[in-house]
Amino acid sequence: MKILVTGAAGFIGMHTTLALLARGDQVVGIDNMNDYYDPQLKRDRLAHIAQQHPQAPFKFIEMDVADTSALLHLFETERFDRVIHLAAQAGVRYSLQNPHAYAQSNLVGFVNILEGCRHHGVQHLVYASSSSVYGGNTKMPFSEDDSVDHPVSLYAATKKANELMAHTYSHLYGLPTTGLRFFTVYGPWGRPDMAPMLFTKAIMADQPIKVFNHGKMKRDFTYIDDIVAGVVATMDRVPEPDDGFDRNAPTPASSWAPYRVFNIGNSEPVELLAFIGALEGAIGRAATKDFQPMQPGDVVATYADTTKLESWTQLVPKVSVEDGVNRFVQWYHAYFSHKSASY
């Protein structure tokens, strides 16, 4: 198949592109290479794709999904079979500082993707949602059947908006769409603004790490390989209208339209201090912890009910936090052994 991967120079985008190329798909990747974090890491990810698959049918184009004319021209000229939309302005805390970046990338950009799919015969759109849509919910584990009407960050609100926008296009135009609510993805080539990279860098430099909510947090840490397996398997199964959908008791998870939303997580939440302990063990050095209060926009815990996705794809998460952290730290050592850790 010919597949568009947006955000291809990003963390999940790079790994997804590698998986698609490894099985013989043709991939066009786009990314705006913004400076939310050092673009050199994004350039290195693209170089890694080229190194791993030098002869593969992969084309990269620097492009912003919010550039309406450029994106629609891309759809018109390339004629994609399927689209995996991972590009977004990421980060919960940053959305408090720069809300307009989220409106442009996550809302305007998403409309552009929907319009491109609608007008150019795309068979299936798979897009990144987020566990953050559960907002202030406290019932655990988080289920796709739960209401998600109380976000606690603008980032979360834009991801909930994406799900609603996708449903509209599935209903009006019959565009099959699947949203994936990612739960705390980590692993090699991860984002430098997320805890694994921040903590590892600080521990190795003998600097204190900021531990928010005094460490009383739980996260459903999910290793990148399990995430990518779910993304690709989901792309392969095109949703159809749910014949069992009850309009008198509607669920956000499905619809009378060709539309689905799934949690994609490890389904084994880990206390933040236990995750730090796994990092300390893998690095071989103790962390100096600077305990901080809860940050605006954060939630105390995340925990994915993944039974719907497991039924849909027959996949279950395979990588434990201990194994995943060890793999991450090994990559970190290899990557930064010839770089200054400026990220």
Side-chain angles (χ1 to χ4, degrees):
M1 290 184 289
K2 187 174 187 179
I3 301 165
L4 170 64
V5 177
T6 72
F11 171 35
I12 301 174
M14 183 207 77
H15 284 280
T16 300
T17 297
L18 288 171
L20 294 171
L21 294 175
R23 70 177 205 168
D25 290 318
Q26 180 180 357
V27 178
V28 175
I30 65 171
D31 199 294
N32 69 357
M33 306 295 286
N34 69 29
D35 61 357
Y36 170 64
Y37 56 82
D38 191 334
Q40 185 58 48
L41 179 57
K42 300 176 186 180
R43 291 191 286 268
D44 290 344
R45 291 185 186 126
L46 292 172
H48 183 66
I49 294 172
Q51 182 183 43
Q52 294 296 306
H53 297 283
Q55 306 301 322
F58 174 65
K59 176 166 64 174
F60 175 75
I61 303 168
E62 187 169 339
M63 180 182 297
D64 194 321
V65 292
D67 185 338
T68 302
S69 59
L71 192 69
L72 296 184
H73 179 72
L74 178 73
F75 272 90
E76 184 176 349
T77 55
E78 294 288 350
R79 300 289 173 173
F80 303 110
D81 297 308
R82 300 186 184 183
V83 173
I84 298 176
H85 177 51
L86 303 171
Q89 178 57 59
V92 170
R93 292 172 193 144
Y94 186 61
S95 67
L96 279 68
Q97 303 168 30
N98 192 355
H100 294 287
Y102 291 78
Q104 281 298 113
S105 183
N106 300 6
L107 300 177
V108 174
F110 196 69
V111 171
N112 290 341
I113 291 291
L114 289 169
E115 281 289 284
C117 292
R118 168 197 172 192
H119 288 291
H120 298 289
V122 170
Q123 301 163 5
H124 187 195
L125 166 63
V126 176
Y127 61 94
S129 185
S130 168
S131 62
S132 67
V133 300
Y134 289 102
N137 290 15
T138 57
K139 181 178 77 68
M140 298 286 172
F142 293 151
S143 167
E144 299 94 334
D145 294 324
D146 297 338
S147 168
V148 287
D149 291 335
H150 297 88
V152 295
S153 70
L154 180 66
Y155 171 71
T158 64
K159 289 300 186 178
K160 168 68 184 296
N162 287 170
E163 295 178 3
L164 299 175
M165 295 155 75
H167 183 269
T168 303
Y169 274 67
S170 295
H171 165 68
L172 289 174
Y173 309 115
L175 171 66
T177 65
T178 302
L180 294 174
R181 294 173 176 171
F182 294 128
F183 279 70
T184 316
V185 189
Y186 75 101
W189 299 97
R191 283 189 3 228
D193 63 315
M194 295 191 70
M197 191 88 87
L198 290 171
F199 288 170
T200 300
K201 178 182 177 182
I203 292 170
M204 293 182 67
D206 288 322
Q207 296 175 345
I209 62 173
K210 291 183 179 179
V211 182
F212 293 112
N213 200 34
H214 304 282
K216 298 173 183 176
M217 312 264 276
K218 281 190 174 183
R219 289 291 181 269
D220 201 335
F221 290 98
T222 313
Y223 191 69
I224 184 63
D225 290 5
D226 289 328
I227 289 287
V228 170
V231 170
V232 174
T234 302
M235 184 201 70
D236 285 339
R237 183 169 178 184
V238 180
E240 296 179 347
D242 181 1
D243 293 335
F245 185 81
D246 184 356
R247 295 195 191 210
N248 290 317
T251 169
S254 66
S255 174
W256 64 84
Y259 168 92
R260 294 291 188 282
V261 170
F262 295 108
N263 291 335
I264 181 166
N266 197 47
S267 202
E268 290 189 9
V270 173
E271 290 185 355
L272 183 58
L273 291 176
F275 186 84
I276 294 169
L279 275 174
E280 290 172 321
I283 296 168
R285 192 177 301 178
T288 301
K289 302 174 185 69
D290 175 14
F291 291 101
Q292 298 272 335
M294 189 80 161
Q295 294 293 287
D298 268 357
V299 297
V300 173
T302 63
Y303 178 3
D305 179 344
T306 57
T307 52
K308 283 184 168 61
L309 183 67
E310 290 168 13
S311 175
W312 190 256
T313 64
Q314 284 70 60
L315 291 175
V316 295
K318 297 178 180 178
V319 182
S320 68
V321 165
E322 292 75 15
D323 189 14
V325 164
N326 280 325
R327 295 187 202 180
F328 168 75
V329 170
Q330 288 172 10
W331 166 82
Y332 187 98
H333 279 299
Y335 181 72
F336 287 110
S337 63
H338 59 284
K339 291 179 179 288
S340 61
S342 60
Y343 305 128

